[in-house]
Amino acid sequence: MDYLVVFKAAGLVGGLSFLMGSILALASIKLKIEVNPLVEKVLSVLPGSNCGACGKPGCEGAAEAIVAGEASYDACRAGGPEVAEAVARVLGIEAKVEENRVAPVLHCGLNRKEVAKKGFYNGVYDCLIAEQQTKGDLLCLYGCLGYGSCQKACPFNAITMDENNLPVFDLKKCTRCGVCVSTCPRGLIRFVPENARLVIKCSSKDRGKEVLSVCKKGCIACGICVKACSDGLSLVENIVVIDYEKNPDCPRGVEKCPTKCLLPYKA
Amino acid sequence: MSAFRHYFLLFVGAFIVQNIVFIRFIGLCPFFGVSTQVETSIGMSLAVTFVMTLASAASWIVWNYALVPLGVGEFLYIPVFILVIASLVQFVEMFIRKVSPPLYKAMGIYLPLITTNCAVLATATEVSKPGFLKLNMPYGYSFIEGVVYSVSVAMGFGLAIVIMAAIRDRMKVSPVPEWLKGYPIVFIVAALASLAFMGFAGLFGM
């Protein structure tokens, strides 16, 4: 047996390793890059779900923007006041705590068994595609399509679809990031203040007769609730609009609403 | 055979007819792991092209000028190639990070993933070591042939992973049965794509 080959192999591997190692060691000194340690610290307190609600490409982009001063310390909408406070602590600035909590509400209260349909939708099970292709299977052009795009979009799994195929929001998991608000192709999910007392569960801008012909739960713009309590309620484009600045409460209007679409709200 | 025809056949053979993922089943882990979005898969295939070409060139040089003269190539080629490729990728990563941050952002995060990727190692070995895998070049590759061949193989990998990512993008909104959701349906789709690619066998008499 040729024992020389052992030395050749050992020499080759050892030599190559030494060569490569020296090149890498040299390169790590010559090609060193200063990484701002503050960015990593900010990144570590952000939620890290990369939801994109702040408008930056993921949490890393947000952290860079916050450190560079391009974004405010409370840029993270998903994290809310706690994360803003933590970021402020990392940056060494005083956080102003603002208590202005909101909650997402679906502005539609249809009943899938009663609502009028134009046919059977057999396409892709997705609201965005259904809205683009056939406007879903509902005759109402303002109603919830029910294909759960908001549920799929929610980065925090706070949305479940009930047996009526309407989204239900788990306010404990919800971080108010607003991804569902921008996802819904019909704009049915909107934020209301958490202390709101009334919600209008309809978004139809059709006239009363047309609404009644397709859905028994829609706002027919009869104006009974507006007559009952004019302060804070108004009719705009055939729908009741609630002025949450005044935060009205209207038990008589709720009681008299003929289609029961004006409902009391409790977060 | 004219030079152009020779290199064209080399390209088509590696790109489609002997597609590294669909026909030869090499490099399946990044193929399934990274093909979730078209954008990331394009970044991945760019990085693979880059690394595969460099790795093949480097291992061709090491094989022909170090392993063969010393007569230790037959049993030492895998550790030596892994050593060369891993340090090369490390160096390139540092270099790109310093010289071109946008390029690093586009493909930097994939570079460590493919350091010792099986597709890279297989192509580097195939290019350097004559007779390895016994495919269409049993006599071994010249340096230029090796570079062209590894670029083509990497492009074939890119083709496969982009096709897969596009199909998976479309499948996100499809009513997939509950028991097939996730990887099972991806495996089935990959098998069907592989069958489709086998239809290219015999193209240009290959």
Side-chain angles (χ1 to χ4, degrees), chain B residues 136-159:
Chain B
N136 34 356
M137 289 290 220
Y139 56 85
Y141 292 79
S142 75
F143 186 73
I144 305 287
E145 277 172 350
V147 170
V148 171
Y149 179 78
S150 44
V151 171
S152 318
V153 168
M155 281 169 73
F157 178 83
L159 176 79

Side-chain angles (χ1 to χ4, degrees), chain A residues 144-161:
Chain A
C144 173
L145 292 160
Y147 301 121
S149 283
C150 47
Q151 182 196 20
K152 279 178 249 165
C154 181
F156 303 97
N157 295 330
I159 300 179
T160 46
M161 303 300 281

Side-chain angles (χ1 to χ4, degrees), chain B residues 106-157:
Chain B
M107 61 183 225
I109 46 169
Y110 307 110
L111 282 177
L113 278 179
I114 38 184
T115 310
T116 48
N117 177 289
C118 46
V120 175
L121 184 65
T123 312
T125 315
E126 198 187 345
V127 163
S128 320
K129 194 170 178 293
F132 181 73
L133 292 184
K134 296 196 174 57
L135 285 174
N136 34 356
M137 289 290 220
Y139 56 85
Y141 292 79
S142 75
F143 186 73
I144 305 287
E145 277 172 350
V147 170
V148 171
Y149 179 78
S150 44
V151 171
S152 318
V153 168
M155 281 169 73
F157 178 83

Side-chain angles (χ1 to χ4, degrees), chain A residues 137-175:
Chain A
D137 58 357
L138 302 175
L139 271 177
C140 177
L141 289 178
Y142 302 93
C144 173
L145 292 160
Y147 301 121
S149 283
C150 47
Q151 182 196 20
K152 279 178 249 165
C154 181
F156 303 97
N157 295 330
I159 300 179
T160 46
M161 303 300 281
D162 64 7
E163 68 281 355
N164 202 10
N165 263 11
L166 295 178
V168 179
F169 302 94
D170 183 345
L171 291 182
K172 283 200 185 105
K173 285 187 194 164
C174 176
T175 61

Side-chain angles (χ1 to χ4, degrees), chain A residues 41-65:
Chain A
K41 268 192 192 163
V42 171
L43 186 60
S44 67
V45 296
L46 291 176
S49 65
N50 294 325
C51 68
C54 53
K56 300 282 180 302
C59 289
E60 202 175 340
E64 275 172 22

Side-chain angles (χ1 to χ4, degrees), chain A residues 5 8-9 12-13 16-17 20 23-24 27-28 31-33 35 64 124-126 129, chain B residues 62 66-67 70-72 75-76 80 83-84 87 90-91 94-95 97-98 105 170 173:
Chain A
V5 94
K8 275 184 188 169
L12 180 69
V13 174
L16 264 178
S17 312
M20 296 295 175
I23 291 177
L24 282 184
S28 68
L31 301 173
K32 204 170 185 178
I33 293 179
V35 180
E64 275 172 22
V124 176
Y125 200 85
D126 184 86
I129 292 171
Chain B
V62 170
L67 288 175
L70 288 174
V72 291
F75 59 90
L76 211 58
V80 168
L83 176 69
V84 169
S87 23
Q90 279 290 312
F91 179 76
M94 280 191 240
F95 185 74
R97 198 167 184 184
K98 182 79 180 179
K105 265 203 173 146
R170 174 60 182 78
V173 291

